[in-house]
């Protein structure tokens, strides 16, 4: 049998898998394809790090280098320190003999434990699996559905005060960046005042970037943004990416937290020092550390007094619970939070639960420019019209840990002031930087082979779609200047006659793309790794209501395929609702679409007519799912995720029974009839657990038997599927 690997992950998509995967395997095995799971959940990775489970992530890291690798990757937790500690505690409670997380290692043993746990922090999965570049776009059926069933985008007021602010000049990563393209493979050493920080093996023709964030200028910028928010009468919020940028962004978050609550941190400095308070971990961690302390109530009241002063108002993560923007560094993730700001008409929620106009504070201008241009466009031209707006698809440079998303091993919070040097093996100084103690210095890398493939994919998509194709590259940014040279060189290797391919900086590209969107026209954004992430949340959330409905295809450099599904930002709330009342509102459309592309890849690769028929039938089923609006309801006691899986099975079986492959038609005709005849009974059984609390045996590591029972409550449906 051919094999597809389905990632076992976390939270809502993990729960959905208990219901969906038995259906998937029943259908695919009929065409000679087995779908197997690989546990890359947070708990699975923790146990692997401690030697108590197989390292499935490393195994998948080998699969992506195989020509027949075929992986469907669902969204997983990019763990903060807080989430990791919760996961460890849950595993310990379930009998796993693993150590506590040493927040401040006191000896070499604790340092070794911390190093193991560090491999589980942040976005640990994506850099391993993304051995190809990204092709993200809306399927035609999905786009049509969104236009026919438009979601609500709230209007910007006529004189909206909403805006984005970011740093400028030579204080941030953009302003301080230097870049070089290597002329041969060699070792390169990063040092501070002559003391080695890291030595890397640089490749021939690889682009290396060095840059730093000035912490003194960051603090001054944050303080200024707070004063400006007061003057402009807007709510204040900060937007970072502490999951993917797991070294730099929690540090910036900590500085912003400290500046906003400066009086509190100054007043209780000695107490916080004695409790090892780390502002980078947010208010939730402070609350844990002061619990039971003599000054606990006093400290909480001091923080609350600042919040209630509304000077300025601060954005809330949960107004009902009084949870602010500073609860934890990963509570507000920029690629999820900023589309909501635009969707809500330039607003976020204050402590009273009211949506009010805001300033979005994004310290680094490198990508702050994109969000500034998005908000400015809506302030000037009003909200978008979902029924007519065009699309911005994306070709993203992603392979081999490209750019900032691969910079974790070469990011440093500098222990002392002085000179950071980047030196080649022969002693040549490639670049140098004068920094202060506490500055955040980092190196990013972009390898030549992925860049070549990125250009190839851009030309391919441009030819297929026939729309303007824009390389979002800024000649005034050091990294992009090197990239432009390479892209122009590699474009010459392709037939670009008749194609509209241009280069624009981020602000110009945003304005160009948005103008076309408003005219109902499409374009392709060819971007680096971070912008790939940001654009493929912003535009789909506005166009489709969610980025989870985007096709996300990663043609692997080795010849295989990685098919990514969904977006997990709302997954915790989905689980919370399910545990409370048995209703899972997660929409598995992303999984349906990814499965179709995965099967299509196998069918083409193996010239298999039966597989082609199975895939064509799934395409029809997906169209039926959208056309009949069978997405899960958000409300309890109405059809949820489990019901959506029933309908995809019914539509898939019906399409197979009417398809051209006689063997599959004969096999699935009675299945289709039985599913149709028993629809009312099956839906009744699926709804039987609605309104009832569910016990799945754990949040981070559910008990498989309990979770499966909760997600497969229809004995009738189970019997039909198990009989295939």
């Amino acid at each position: 049998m051919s094999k597809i690997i389905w990632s076992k992950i976390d939270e809502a998509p993990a729960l959905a898998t208990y219901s969906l995967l038995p259906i998937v395997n029943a259908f695919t095995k009929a065409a000679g394809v087995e779908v197997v799971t690989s546990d890359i959940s947070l708990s699975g990775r923790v146990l692997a790090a401690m030697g108590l489970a197989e390292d499935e992530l490393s195994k998948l890291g080998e699969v992506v280098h195989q020509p027949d690798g075929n992986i469907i990757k669902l969204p997983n937790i990019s763990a903060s320190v807080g989430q990791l500690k919760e996961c460890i505690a849950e595993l310990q409670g379930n009998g796993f003999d693993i150590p506590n997380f040493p927040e401040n290692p006191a000896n070499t043993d604790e340092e070794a434990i911390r190093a193991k746990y560090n491999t589980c922090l942040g976005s640990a999965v994506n850099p391993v699996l993304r051995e190809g570049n990204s092709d993200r776009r809306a399927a035609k059926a999905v786009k049509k559905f969104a236009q026919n069933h438009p979601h609500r985008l709230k209007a910007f007021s006529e004189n909206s005060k909403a805006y984005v602010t970011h740093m400028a000049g030579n204080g941030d990563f953009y302003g301080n960046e230097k870049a070089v393209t290597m002329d041969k493979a060699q070792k390169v050493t990063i040092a501070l005042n002559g003391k080695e920080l890291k030595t890397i093996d640089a490749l021939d023709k690889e682009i290396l970037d060095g840059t730093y964030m000035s912490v003194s200028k960051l603090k001054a910028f944050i303080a200024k943004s707070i004063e400006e928010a007061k003057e402009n009468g807007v709510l204040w919020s900060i937007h970072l990416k502490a999951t993917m940028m797991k070294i730099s962004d929690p540090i910036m978050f900590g500085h912003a937290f400290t500046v906003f609550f400066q009086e509190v941190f100054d007043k209780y400095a000695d107490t916080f020092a004695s409790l090892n308070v780390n502002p980078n971990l947010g208010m939730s961690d402070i609350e844990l550390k002061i619990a039971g302390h003599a000054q606990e109530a006093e400290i909480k009241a001091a923080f609350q007094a600042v919040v209630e002063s509304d000077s300025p108002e601060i954005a809330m993560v949960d107004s009902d619970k009084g949870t602010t923007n500073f609860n934890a560094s990963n509570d507000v993730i920029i690629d999820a939070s900023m589309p909501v700001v635009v969707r809500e008409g330039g607003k976020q929620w204050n402590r009273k639960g009211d949506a009010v106009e805001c300033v979005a504070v994004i310290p680094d201008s490198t990508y702050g420019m994109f969000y500034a241009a998005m908000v400015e466009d809506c302030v000037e031209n009003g909200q978008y019209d979902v029924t007519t707006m065009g699309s911005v698809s994306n070709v993203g440079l992603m392979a081999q840990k490209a750019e900032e998303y691969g910079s974790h091993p070469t990011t440093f919070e500098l222990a002392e002031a002085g000179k950071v040097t980047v030196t080649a093996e022969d002693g040549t100084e490639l670049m140098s930087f004068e920094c202060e103690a506490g500055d955040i210095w980092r190196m990013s890398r972009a390898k030549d082979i992925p860049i070549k493939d990125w250009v190839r994919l851009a030309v391919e998509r441009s030819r297929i779609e026939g729309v303007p194709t824009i390389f979002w590259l800024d000649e005034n940014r050091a990294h992009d200047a090197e990239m432009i040279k390479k892209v122009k060189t590699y474009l010459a290797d392709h037939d670009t006659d008749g194609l509209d391919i241009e280069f624009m900086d981020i602000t110009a590209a945003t304005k160009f793309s948005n103008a076309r969107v408003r005219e109902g026209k499409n374009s392709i954004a060819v971007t680096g790794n971070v912008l790939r992430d940001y654009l493929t949340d912003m535009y789909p959330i506005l166009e489709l209501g969610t980025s989870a409905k985007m096709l996300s295809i990663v043609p692997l450099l080795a010849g295989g395929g990685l098919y990514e599904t969904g977006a997990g930002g709302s997954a915790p709330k989905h689980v919370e609702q399910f545990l409370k009342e048995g209703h899972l509102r997660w929409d598995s459309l992303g999984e349906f679409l990814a499965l179709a592309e995965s099967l299509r890849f196998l069918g083409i690769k193996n010239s298999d007519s039966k597989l082609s028929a199975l895939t064509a039938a799934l395409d029809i089923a997906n169209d039926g799912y959208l056309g009949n609006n069978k997405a899960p309801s958000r409300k309890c006691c109405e059809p949820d995720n489990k019901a959506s899986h029933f309908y995809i099975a019914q539509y898939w079986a019906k399409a197979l029974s009417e398809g051209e492959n006689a063997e599959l038609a004969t096999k699935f005709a009675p299945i289709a009839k039985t599913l149709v005849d028993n629809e009312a009974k099956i839906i009744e059984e699926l709804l039987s657990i609605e309104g009832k609390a569910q016990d799945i045996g754990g949040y981070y590591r559910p008990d498989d038997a309990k979770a499966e029972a909760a997600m497969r409550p229809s004995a009738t449906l189970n019997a039909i599927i198990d009989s295939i």
Side-chain angles (χ1 to χ4, degrees):
M1 278 193 169
S2 295
K3 183 169 70 175
I4 295 172
I5 300 175
W6 186 287
S7 66
K8 182 177 181 180
I9 30 62
D10 312 282
E11 298 178 323
L15 286 175
T17 295
Y18 286 106
S19 167
L20 178 58
L21 198 56
I23 295 171
V24 169
N25 253 320
F27 279 73
T28 60
K29 283 183 178 179
V33 177
E34 183 180 16
V35 182
V36 300
T37 59
S38 178
D39 186 358
I40 57 172
S41 65
L42 177 58
S43 65
R45 288 182 280 122
V46 166
L47 293 176
M50 293 297 117
L52 297 179
E54 290 288 331
D55 186 353
E56 298 292 340
L57 180 58
S58 291
K59 290 183 178 180
L60 285 188
E62 296 173 2
V63 172
V64 294
H65 291 285
Q66 297 168 0
D68 58 349
N70 192 331
I71 300 170
I72 294 177
K73 181 201 165 291
L74 284 70
N76 56 277
I77 291 175
S78 294
S80 66
V81 170
Q83 287 173 310
L84 180 55
K85 289 162 75 173
E86 289 174 358
C87 179
I88 291 167
E90 180 180 306
L91 291 171
Q92 290 170 334
N94 288 333
F96 289 99
D97 184 15
I98 57 176
N100 290 330
F101 178 83
E103 194 170 305
N104 299 291
N107 52 53
T108 54
D109 288 344
E110 290 190 354
E111 288 174 355
I113 293 168
R114 175 64 185 262
K116 290 179 180 179
Y117 279 139
N118 280 350
T119 64
C120 304
L121 285 171
S123 185
V125 172
N126 290 340
V128 175
L129 300 187
R130 287 173 168 172
E131 285 294 317
N133 293 311
S134 171
D135 172 11
R136 296 205 73 186
R137 48 197 151 89
K140 290 181 180 179
V142 174
K143 180 67 174 177
K144 181 179 179 181
F145 176 84
Q147 292 178 320
N148 291 338
H149 302 84
H151 52 279
R152 185 181 178 189
L153 299 180
K154 294 183 180 178
F156 278 72
S157 64
E158 185 174 348
N159 298 302
S160 175
K161 296 185 290 185
Y163 65 99
V164 171
T165 186
H166 55 71
M167 296 172 71
N170 62 351
D172 65 354
F173 291 121
Y174 178 92
N176 291 321
E177 189 173 68
K178 300 178 182 180
V180 61
T181 299
M182 302 302 294
D183 58 6
K184 63 180 179 181
Q186 59 182 304
K187 291 188 180 299
V188 170
T189 299
I190 305 163
L192 172 60
N193 295 328
K195 292 172 283 190
E196 180 183 332
L197 296 174
K198 186 86 172 181
T199 294
I200 64 168
D201 291 310
L203 303 180
D204 184 30
K205 299 179 183 178
E206 179 177 12
I207 298 174
L208 302 182
D209 311 325
T211 188
Y212 69 96
M213 169 68 71
S214 165
V215 167
S216 63
K217 292 181 179 178
L218 169 65
K219 290 179 178 180
F221 162 74
I222 296 295
K224 182 182 178 184
S225 73
I226 293 169
E227 291 304 313
E228 289 175 344
K230 293 179 190 178
E231 294 168 7
N232 295 324
V234 293
L235 175 143
W236 188 96
S237 60
I238 189 162
H239 303 258
L240 295 161
K241 182 75 172 183
T243 48
M244 288 297 284
M245 304 307 300
K246 61 185 180 182
I247 307 297
S248 60
D249 284 27
I251 298 171
M252 290 192 284
F253 173 89
H255 287 303
F257 184 24
T258 304
V259 172
F260 197 94
F261 293 96
Q262 192 69 61
E263 292 180 6
V264 182
F265 277 96
D266 288 346
K267 182 175 180 179
Y268 298 100
D270 292 341
T271 302
F272 289 165
S274 69
L275 295 173
N276 291 318
V277 163
N278 182 354
N280 301 357
L281 302 179
M283 189 66 205
S284 58
D285 187 69
I286 290 179
E287 290 174 344
L288 288 173
K289 286 178 176 171
I290 64 174
H293 192 277
Q295 292 179 295
E296 177 183 5
E298 180 185 335
I299 292 170
K300 285 184 175 180
F303 276 107
Q304 189 61 26
V306 176
V307 173
E308 292 181 359
S309 72
D310 293 333
S311 184
E313 289 186 292
I314 186 172
M316 306 299 286
V317 172
D318 190 323
S319 301
D320 293 336
K321 296 179 180 178
T323 307
T324 75
N325 198 161
F326 285 117
N327 184 59
S329 63
N330 67 326
D331 271 356
V332 178
I333 300 301
I334 188 169
D335 51 322
S337 61
M338 282 305 300
V340 173
V341 171
V342 178
R343 185 193 70 193
E344 297 296 315
K347 297 177 180 180
Q348 288 182 272
W349 289 269
N350 64 14
R351 63 185 178 87
K352 299 175 184 177
D354 300 322
V356 297
E357 290 174 340
C358 68
V359 53
V361 179
I362 303 171
D364 182 28
S365 62
T366 311
Y367 304 110
M369 298 177 192
F370 165 62
Y371 291 114
M374 288 296 302
V375 172
E376 286 169 8
D377 176 59
C378 289
V379 168
E380 182 179 346
N381 300 304
Q383 189 58 275
Y384 296 95
D385 183 345
V386 177
T387 65
T388 61
M389 66 187 296
S391 295
V392 180
S393 57
N394 184 269
V395 174
L397 176 64
M398 191 169 70
Q400 298 181 0
K401 305 175 183 178
E403 302 181 325
E404 292 95 335
Y405 278 2
S407 67
H408 321 312
T410 49
T411 299
F412 310 96
E413 186 175 21
L414 300 181
E416 60 188 39
K419 186 177 182 180
V420 177
T421 55
V422 179
T423 308
E425 197 169 9
D426 62 7
T428 303
E429 186 176 279
L430 302 175
M431 50 186 115
S432 65
F433 309 81
E434 292 293 336
C435 301
E436 298 298 322
D439 287 353
I440 308 163
W441 192 95
R442 74 177 179 217
M443 172 182 282
S444 303
R445 307 169 65 178
K447 299 175 179 67
D448 189 58
I449 291 175
I451 295 171
K452 279 185 179 179
D453 182 72
W454 178 54
V455 173
R456 176 203 61 77
L457 184 59
V459 172
E460 178 182 297
R461 293 308 309 168
S462 183
R463 181 71 65 190
I464 291 170
E465 297 191 29
V467 298
T469 302
I470 311 303
F471 280 88
W472 291 43
L473 295 171
D474 179 357
E475 63 183 6
N476 294 314
R477 181 189 171 193
H479 167 79
D480 286 8
E482 296 298 307
M483 290 288 288
I484 289 170
K485 297 174 192 174
K486 280 184 171 288
V487 171
K488 288 183 175 179
T489 297
Y490 298 141
L491 280 173
D493 296 336
H494 301 276
D495 176 12
T496 58
D497 286 350
L499 303 183
D500 184 357
I501 297 176
E502 300 180 55
F503 294 81
M504 297 183 190
D505 64 45
I506 290 176
T507 301
T510 307
K511 290 180 177 179
F512 174 86
S513 302
N514 290 354
R516 289 183 62 83
V517 163
R518 291 182 182 280
E519 295 170 357
K521 298 175 181 177
N522 302 336
S523 60
I524 300 172
V526 189
T527 69
N529 207 352
V530 178
L531 275 177
R532 168 203 58 79
D533 200 15
Y534 294 177
L535 268 66
T536 58
D537 274 313
M538 176 62 79
Y539 287 111
I541 286 172
L542 299 179
E543 291 177 38
L544 311 175
T546 172
S547 58
K549 294 181 178 181
M550 287 282 278
L551 280 175
S552 183
I553 302 168
V554 183
L556 297 170
L557 297 177
L562 174 69
Y563 306 93
E564 300 186 325
T565 81
S570 59
K573 292 183 179 179
H574 293 195
V575 177
E576 181 181 344
Q577 182 182 15
F578 180 77
L579 295 177
K580 180 181 178 182
E581 54 191 21
H583 184 88
L584 185 66
R585 66 179 190 260
W586 177 261
D587 189 347
S588 293
L589 177 61
E591 287 93 290
F592 305 158
L593 296 172
L595 178 62
E597 295 304 320
S598 176
L599 291 171
R600 198 179 330 277
F601 167 80
L602 285 176
I604 294 171
K605 200 173 187 73
N606 299 323
S607 301
D608 189 319
S609 60
K610 186 182 286 189
L611 259 177
S612 297
L614 185 75
T615 307
L618 180 54
D619 288 337
I620 294 170
N622 286 336
D623 287 348
Y625 174 83
L626 288 164
N628 294 308
N629 199 10
K630 295 301 182 182
S633 168
R634 297 176 63 87
K635 298 179 181 178
C636 182
C637 300
E638 296 180 0
D640 73 341
N641 174 267
K642 301 181 291 293
S644 73
H645 297 164
F646 159 70
Y647 284 113
I648 205 72
Q650 183 190 98
Y651 298 155
W652 199 358
K654 185 174 184 295
L656 284 167
S657 72
E658 298 170 352
E660 296 180 357
N661 187 282
E663 182 183 341
L664 291 176
T666 300
K667 183 177 183 66
F668 280 94
I671 301 298
K673 184 177 187 305
T674 307
L675 288 170
V676 170
D677 292 346
N678 286 277
E679 178 175 332
K681 183 180 181 182
I682 289 170
I683 294 298
E684 181 182 356
E685 291 173 353
L686 292 174
L687 290 174
S688 66
I689 71 163
E690 297 274 326
K692 302 173 185 176
Q694 299 298 309
D695 174 17
I696 58 173
Y699 183 92
Y700 290 98
R701 197 166 188 82
D703 179 280
D704 286 342
K706 289 182 178 181
E708 184 170 339
M711 287 301 299
R712 299 190 76 198
S714 171
T716 304
L717 176 59
N718 296 347
I720 296 169
I721 295 303
D722 295 346
S723 72
I724 297 176

